[in-house]
């Protein structure tokens, strides 16, 4: 309580949800994750864009409507450069579906101020090394050549149109 101070904004990293089932004796929470019958990323994460809206609304209600920046949102998929392009349609669908949740949150009164895709570049992931590609720009790690993916071109256009 002594160090409590007003905050300028809440930064939200959202990738997926976890559906849990009661499982006596399994871990400290007595729960296990239940895989849903839906699409999943290369990380094995369920694609659940509605969860972004749900958590934004929860933050708004629980904390009195602070400014919220979505500081990370993205997905890892198998990406390959073919004839100089990367057609990462699964990532594009993921980003499009998640970004579409923001107007609904705004209409509900959530003070969303910004959205940042994870990640600009394919990079080193702390738990997976270079084996997972989250970027909207493909990086050839041997040559450092960069190729803007289809999702990156779409995101550029979404930014130009204010995301909507």
């Amino acid at each position: 309580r002594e160090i409590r101070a007003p905050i300028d904004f809440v930064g939200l990293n959202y990738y997926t949800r976890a559906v849990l089932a009661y499982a006596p004796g399994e871990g400290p929470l007595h729960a296990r994750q239940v895989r849903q019958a839906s699409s999943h990323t290369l990380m094995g994460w369920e694609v659940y864009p509605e969860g972004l809206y749900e958590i934004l609304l929860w933050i708004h209600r629980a904390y009195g409507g602070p400014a919220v920046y979505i500081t990370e949102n993205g997905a890892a998929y198998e990406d390959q450069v073919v004839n100089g392009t990367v057609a990462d349609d699964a990532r594009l669908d993921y980003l499009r579906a998640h970004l579409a949740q923001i107007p609904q949150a705004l209409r509900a009164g959530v003070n969303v101020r910004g959205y940042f895709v994870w990640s600009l570049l394919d990079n080193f992931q702390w738990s997976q090394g270079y084996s997972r590609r989250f970027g909207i720009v493909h990086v050839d790690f041997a040559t450092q050549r960069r190729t803007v993916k289809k999702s990156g071109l779409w995101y550029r256009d979404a930014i130009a149109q204010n995301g909507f």
Side-chain angles (χ1 to χ4, degrees):
R1 205 190 277 218
E2 290 79 22
I3 62 171
R4 190 173 112 173
I7 60 170
D8 296 325
F9 66 91
V10 171
L12 172 65
N13 296 356
Y14 178 81
Y15 294 94
T16 189
R17 69 173 177 172
V19 176
L20 303 177
Y22 178 65
E26 288 192 35
L29 300 178
H30 301 289
R32 63 178 168 74
Q33 188 166 348
V34 179
R35 186 173 173 92
Q36 301 301 295
S38 60
S39 61
H40 291 76
T41 69
L42 188 58
M43 298 292 289
W45 299 340
E46 178 191 13
V47 177
Y48 186 70
E50 296 84 359
L52 179 57
Y53 170 76
E54 292 165 1
I55 193 74
L56 286 168
L57 194 58
W58 180 82
I59 290 169
H60 175 73
R61 291 176 176 163
Y63 295 102
V68 179
Y69 289 86
I70 300 158
T71 48
E72 290 186 18
N73 178 242
Y77 291 101
E78 292 285 348
D79 297 332
Q80 296 179 9
V81 179
V82 177
N83 297 324
T85 64
V86 180
D88 61 334
D89 292 323
R91 178 177 297 102
L92 175 54
D93 292 344
Y94 177 99
L95 294 175
R96 184 181 287 131
H98 283 78
L99 199 59
Q101 299 300 310
I102 297 172
Q104 180 182 357
L106 291 168
R107 286 190 296 274
V110 180
N111 188 9
V112 179
R113 299 276 184 93
Y115 173 92
F116 300 89
V117 68
W118 183 261
S119 169
L120 173 63
L121 301 172
D122 290 334
N123 58 20
F124 183 85
Q125 297 294 313
W126 69 271
S127 65
Q128 301 291 326
Y130 292 107
S131 68
R132 301 293 188 266
R133 294 180 177 274
F134 279 85
I136 58 174
V137 175
H138 181 276
V139 177
D140 180 318
F141 297 120
T143 66
Q144 294 301 301
R145 179 176 169 80
R146 283 131 165 97
T147 305
V148 180
K149 300 175 187 179
K150 186 176 179 180
S151 62
L153 298 171
W154 173 84
Y155 190 55
R156 173 201 62 196
D157 295 341
I159 291 169
Q161 298 170 28
N162 197 25
F164 310 110

